[in-house]
Each structure stands twice: as structure tokens, then as C-alpha cells.
Amino acid sequence: MNSWLHNAVRRRSLLALLGAAPFAPLAARAATHETPRYQGNDAPGAAGRGRRGRMITVGEVDHKANGFDPLRMLTDWETGVVVPDADGKPVRVFEIEAIDREIEIAPGLKFPAWTYNGRVPGPTLRATEGERLRIRFRNSGSHPHTIHFHGIHSARMDGIPGAGQVMPGEEFVYEFDARPFGCHLYHCHSLPLRRHIHKGLYGAFIVDPDPARHPEHAAVARSRVLGTPENARWQELVMVMNGFDTNFDDENEVYAVNTVAHAYMKRPIPLRRDRPVRLYLVNVTEFDPINSFHLHANFFDYYDHGTTLTPTLRTVDTIMQCQAQRGILEFSFEDHEPGLYMFHAHQTEFAELGWMGFFRVMP
Ligand SMILES: [Cu+2]
């Protein structure tokens, strides 16, 4: 048995042992040491087939009990509060609290997460280039944590052990200017790092470009600034690619975007055909060296790290990201007929284990 197959069988056997109903057909095959091939909905007794005949998780996640909903998470930007500083200059203030919390990542499958503000991923922080940012961080969890921002800041504000690490019950205030503009992320940088990340301490950090600083591409820059009329015509979404090691063997048993396996298979993301789509995509998947995004029946332009106003890749339908890599995808379904358009990781195993969804393109 090659190592990939061995791992796949082992992971699925463990899911069966955990009593995880979601991947029952895979688990059943693994138990008999059959090749865990994708057999689709024609397999006899394929309990995993969905209404549309696809093998996905069975049952529903209780989004209310989770306290976050993957559909709402696509667009619930956290813009904080702008207050005048002592010298009268405006500061954008965010409040973040680390909380230990059990979350449901697939129907009936609970994960003992460490969260920012009770959710995984944490709030999508959004600001404009050049603004002063102040992030008040309170650690109400059981372990030391930090917030390490991918951005430009001083060593004191780096959010690593020795610079902004916060003991349980304590607080720290990170302060820096929002730069460079782009699609970034934040995550805990306490040790062991892989544990603190995969437990759920991460989120997207979006810095909109200041049009005044980019006269050569001012119109494009304005279209990225939340709240402008130019921005309002865009359908903006944020997706954080993540995975969950449910048995602590340093491998993921469940994959997703925005945490809940197959959430967008069951409730496709509604899109209007007449408005362009801008997708902020961040990969924080632990344990696996890469993740990817593939769009069906369409192509997109890509802005690596979101730090440019012209695409760094044009007309591609698949993008690969290592951990912490991220970027902006822009596409349109203007010329398409309405219907369900799939997107997923093009690592087939990730897709089968939760990282797969649909856009519902409406007339
Ligand atoms: Cu941590």
C-alpha cells in the first residue's frame, strides 16, 4: 500500500471509529481495506449521496449552536470602531478575545477549538491602507496566545513569544498602520505553532487600497474600498481554506472553506449574474503543504497577496496556495446560463472530505 493510500485508509478508519456519520461510505470501504475510490452515487448503499446525488456529509450542522454561519461569514466584514486618538488623529479599534470553544465542523462531529471571538475563522478584519489600527486582544483561553499579523509593523507588535504573547486572563494592545494594501491574514504564533494554528486561531485581514495613493489605478482602487459606490456593484466574498485534525495524529480528517465541511454544497452561495465577483482567498490549512481552489466552467484573474491593482495571473481556473499564501480572485458569470457552478480544492481527497461547494448563479 503506498503511503497516500495508507494514510487515506487510516484517516477514514479513524473517522469510523469516532462514529462520524458524515463519511459513512468511505469509512465502510476503509474498514474492509478496499481501495477508497470515489464511487459516486451509484454505489449500492451509498448512504452519503445527497439530494443532488453527490457524496457529501449527511445531516445538518447546528449553525446557531456554533454561533457562526458559513454563509454569513462570506460577507461579515469586521470594520471595528474609529475613535479619535489623544492627538486627535483617527484610530480604527478592534476587540479580539481568545476563547476555548467546542464547534461542530461536520454534522455530529465536534472539534475542541481555540477561537478568536468564538468563531473559526476569526472575524474578517477590514481597514483601509494607511489607517492607524489598534487591536485590543484579551486572552480568555487556557493557553498563552498571540495575534501575529501578516503586514508591516514593528518588532514589538509582531505577536510572537516575547513580543505580544498574552497569558490566560491577560491583555495586550497591538498597534500599527494598515499596510500594505491586500488580502492578508492573522494567526496565533505561540508554540507549538502548528497546534495553535490548527486549533482555529486564524482569520482574514483585508486592507483596502487608498485610491489617493494610486492615481494610476484609482478606479480599480476605489472599487476595492468597502462602502464606495464602485465597490457596491462587486459581490465580495471571503473564504479561508482550513482543515481539522479530529484525532490529533497531525493529519486532517476534515477539510473546508470557512470551517464547516460541504456547507456550500448544501446551501450554495447565491450570486447575481450581472455583477462581478471578488473572492478573498486565504489558505491556513495545517499539516498539508498546499491547498488549492478550482472554479468550474469559468476562469478568473488572480492578484497574488492582493498587493497589486493589476492581475498577477490572468485567465486561470485553478490556483495553488501554501499555508499563509493568499490572493484575490475576480470573475464573472455574466455570459453563463443560470445554475449551480461548482468550486473545490483540486486535491480530490480534500474535496471528498469537505472542501467542495457550489455557486448558485441567478438570472
Ligand atoms: Cu495560540
Side-chain angles (χ1 to χ4, degrees), residues 98 114 116 137 139 143-146 165 187-193 195-197 201:
W114 296 344
Y116 289 127
F137 176 48
N139 184 1
H143 292 73
H145 296 305
T146 76
Q165 177 161 269
H187 60 84
C188 180
H189 213 300
S190 291
L191 301 176
L193 184 57
R195 182 157 186 238
H196 283 253
I197 290 181
L201 290 168

Side-chain angles (χ1 to χ4, degrees), residues 29-49:
R29 279 203 301 281
T32 58
H33 287 259
E34 265 182 60
T35 307
R37 271 181 313 197
Y38 182 83
Q39 295 185 347
N41 57 315
D42 296 330
R49 67 180 173 228

Side-chain angles (χ1 to χ4, degrees), residues 34-333:
E34 265 182 60
T35 307
R37 271 181 313 197
Y38 182 83
Q39 295 185 347
N41 57 315
D42 296 330
R49 67 180 173 228
R51 198 157 41 82
R52 281 179 293 275
R54 289 180 180 85
M55 197 150 60
I56 59 171
T57 57
V58 178
E60 299 299 329
V61 163
D62 188 342
H63 302 297
K64 256 208 180 91
N66 263 354
F68 59 88
D69 182 329
L71 264 186
R72 289 207 53 227
M73 265 180 168
L74 293 165
T75 56
D76 63 350
W77 324 111
E78 174 57 66
T79 53
V81 183
V82 179
V83 298
D85 204 0
D87 57 6
K89 284 189 189 147
V91 188
R92 194 175 287 279
V93 181
F94 298 94
E95 308 259 354
I96 297 186
E97 185 179 13
I99 305 166
D100 296 359
R101 195 156 190 275
E102 193 178 73
I103 59 170
E104 190 179 6
I105 57 170
L109 186 56
K110 301 285 178 62
F111 180 78
W114 296 344
T115 74
Y116 289 127
N117 289 3
R119 47 176 276 174
V120 179
T124 301
L125 307 184
R126 195 151 174 178
T128 301
E129 181 184 12
E131 287 182 322
R132 190 70 173 168
L133 305 185
R134 184 175 295 153
I135 299 99
R136 296 184 188 283
F137 176 48
R138 177 166 182 80
N139 184 1
S140 300
S142 53
H143 292 73
H145 296 305
T146 76
I147 309 179
H148 167 68
F149 284 86
H150 284 238
I152 297 170
H153 49 247
S154 71
R156 287 177 300 112
M157 295 296 157
D158 202 34
I160 56 169
Q165 177 161 269
V166 185
M167 292 297 135
E170 296 184 0
E171 291 186 0
F172 187 82
V173 179
Y174 303 96
E175 192 164 323
F176 46 82
D177 292 337
R179 67 192 172 107
F181 75 84
C183 172
H184 307 307
L185 72 156
Y186 62 91
H187 60 84
C188 180
H189 213 300
S190 291
L191 301 176
L193 184 57
R194 53 164 38 187
R195 182 157 186 238
H196 283 253
I197 290 181
H198 109 267
K199 287 282 267 180
L201 290 168
Y202 46 76
F205 170 44
I206 297 170
V207 179
D208 297 334
D210 174 3
R213 300 182 186 208
H214 310 282
E216 72 288 12
H217 299 295
V220 176
R222 263 197 308 279
S223 86
R224 282 208 203 162
V225 181
L226 188 67
T228 63
E230 292 89 340
N231 178 258
R233 61 182 287 270
W234 285 83
Q235 303 177 91
E236 293 195 328
L237 309 166
V238 62
M239 291 189 192
V240 176
M241 302 194 282
N242 53 1
F244 295 91
D245 172 16
T246 55
N247 54 11
F248 305 100
D249 64 347
D250 289 356
E251 290 189 30
N252 294 309
E253 277 71 44
V254 172
Y255 294 87
V257 271
N258 297 344
T259 299
V260 177
H262 291 147
Y264 306 122
M265 291 292 283
K266 296 181 177 186
R267 292 185 300 161
I269 299 167
L271 288 181
R272 294 225 350 215
R273 193 163 60 148
D274 57 346
R275 286 166 48 196
V277 183
R278 180 178 287 136
L279 171 58
Y280 296 91
L281 181 72
V282 180
N283 179 29
V284 293
T285 313
E286 190 55 77
F287 308 120
D288 294 282
I290 57 162
N291 205 328
S292 62
F293 180 101
H294 168 57
L295 180 61
H296 277 216
N298 207 343
F299 281 70
F300 53 84
D301 283 350
Y302 187 70
Y303 301 73
D304 190 20
H305 290 69
T307 46
T308 58
L309 295 171
T310 53
T312 51
L313 279 176
R314 288 179 200 270
T315 323
V316 295
D317 70 0
T318 306
I319 189 75
M320 186 172 74
Q321 294 181 343
C322 70
Q323 190 187 52
Q325 212 167 359
R326 66 278 182 185
I328 298 173
L329 289 67
E330 289 181 352
F331 50 96
S332 164
F333 283 98

